[in-house]
Amino acid sequence: MCELLGMSANVPTDICFSFTGFLHRGGGTGPHRDGWGIAFYEAGGYRDFRDPHPSVRSPIARLITDYPIKSHIAISHIRQANVGEVRLANTHPFTREMWGRTWCYAHNGQLEGWEALPLSFYRPVGDTDSEHAFCWLLAELRHRFPDAPRQGEAQDLWQWLHELCERLRSLGVFNLLLADGEYLYTYCSTKLAHITRRAPFGKAELSDAELTVNFAEHTTAADVVSVVATEPLTCNEEWVRMQPGELLVWRHGRIEARFGSDGAVD
C-alpha cells in the first residue's frame, strides 16, 4: 500500500528532514517502488514534482532534499501500485482547480466499486481508483458549494467533506491528504499519525535514515510545524495516531477542526 506525508506550518518551512526519511521508504526501507510526488504551496503559488520511478533512487528526489523549498503546506506520496499502470499520469499528488484555488490530493488505500462513482465536472487523466475518487470528491464539493464558501460557511464545507470521505471509506481503504493552499485536510481510514513541533524545540532522529536534526537551531519561539505521515518518521518523538473515520482540518500548523466517525465535531 502507498504512504503519505503532509506538512502544515505557520511560517514558510522546508520539509527536507521529513522527506529524507520518507523517500527511503520508496524502494529502500519500504516496498513503494512505483513512483512518488511532492507538492508545495508557497508565496501564494503552487508547484509539484512527480516521478514514476522509485524515490530512493530518484535524482529529482535528491534535488528536493538538497534544495530547501519553504512552504506553508506540503503533500507527498510514494506509490505501491494496485490499480493502474506505473506511469506519470498515475503518479500522485493529483491537482485540479476549484474557486480559483489549486487543490492537491493524495490517497493511500484501495477502493472497490469505484468505477460506479459518477463523474461530472472533473475527469481523470490516468486510470487509478485514487484519481477517479478525487474527481468525484471535488465535483461533489463544487456541486454543494458552486462558489467559494462565504465567511462563516467553512464549517459546513468541512462537514460535507467529512461525509464524502466517509462514503469513500465504505468502499475500502481511504486515507487522504487534501489541500487548497490555506487548509490541509487529513482523513484517516486505517492509518495516519501526526506530530506538532513548537517551542521548546529539541532533536529528532529519523527511523529510515541516519539523520538527526536539532530543530532549536533552525526555528524561532513562534514557529509551529505539524507533520502527518502514514507511519511515524522519527524514533525518539511521540506521534499521535488518528482514529478511523477522523478528519482533521489544519491551518498554520494547528488543528482548526476535528470531525469523528461518531459525528462528533471539535
Side-chain angles (χ1 to χ4, degrees), residues 61-225:
R62 289 197 295 273
L63 167 68
I64 302 303
T65 61
D66 294 336
Y67 177 36
I69 298 173
K70 293 185 179 295
S71 63
H72 285 93
I73 297 174
I75 286 179
S76 187
H77 178 277
I78 50 177
R79 185 178 183 223
Q80 185 177 13
N82 291 305
V83 178
E85 301 175 41
V86 177
R87 60 189 180 109
L88 188 60
N90 289 335
T91 305
H92 305 226
F94 302 110
T95 59
R96 296 291 189 277
E97 179 276 335
M98 184 167 69
W99 309 325
R101 306 176 195 169
T102 301
W103 289 72
C104 174
Y105 160 103
H107 163 231
N108 162 21
Q110 191 170 356
L111 306 176
E112 295 185 6
W114 54 273
E115 301 94 336
L117 294 170
L119 298 178
S120 54
F121 190 86
Y122 299 99
R123 301 280 170 162
V125 176
D127 55 0
T128 65
D129 54 346
S130 298
E131 189 183 15
H132 188 109
F134 176 41
C135 291
W136 174 83
L137 176 69
L138 214 58
E140 290 294 308
L141 289 174
R142 187 174 188 141
H143 179 73
R144 177 68 67 93
F145 300 93
D147 299 305
R150 296 186 295 271
Q151 187 174 5
E153 291 183 332
Q155 195 83 10
D156 296 333
L157 170 67
W158 302 340
Q159 182 72 60
W160 181 231
L161 174 60
H162 181 250
E163 291 179 22
L164 295 173
C165 289
E166 290 281 81
R167 288 174 61 182
L168 289 169
R169 181 165 74 115
S170 71
L171 302 181
V173 178
F174 186 73
N175 299 297
L176 162 85
L177 298 184
L178 178 71
D180 65 358
E182 182 174 4
Y183 296 100
L184 171 68
Y185 305 95
T186 63
Y187 176 80
C188 176
S189 172
T190 55
K191 211 189 297 186
L192 274 179
H194 59 87
I195 187 169
T196 297
R197 300 184 179 113
R198 51 165 58 91
F201 291 93
K203 293 183 179 180
E205 181 180 347
L206 288 176
S207 302
D208 298 87
E210 294 184 5
L211 182 62
T212 301
V213 66
N214 184 357
F215 287 112
E217 298 175 355
H218 306 278
T219 55
T220 72
D223 292 359
V224 180
V225 181

Side-chain angles (χ1 to χ4, degrees), residues 31-51:
H32 314 86
R33 304 173 179 273
D34 301 322
W36 68 277
I38 189 167
F40 302 93
Y41 290 91
E42 49 178 319
Y46 170 92
R47 60 174 153 178
D48 64 26
F49 302 83
R50 295 184 297 147
D51 186 354

Side-chain angles (χ1 to χ4, degrees), residues 15-58:
I15 199 173
C16 292
F17 174 73
S18 296
F19 184 68
T20 297
F22 188 64
L23 69 84
H24 276 79
R25 298 179 179 179
T29 58
H32 314 86
R33 304 173 179 273
D34 301 322
W36 68 277
I38 189 167
F40 302 93
Y41 290 91
E42 49 178 319
Y46 170 92
R47 60 174 153 178
D48 64 26
F49 302 83
R50 295 184 297 147
D51 186 354
H53 301 102
S55 59
V56 73
R57 297 197 303 268
S58 170

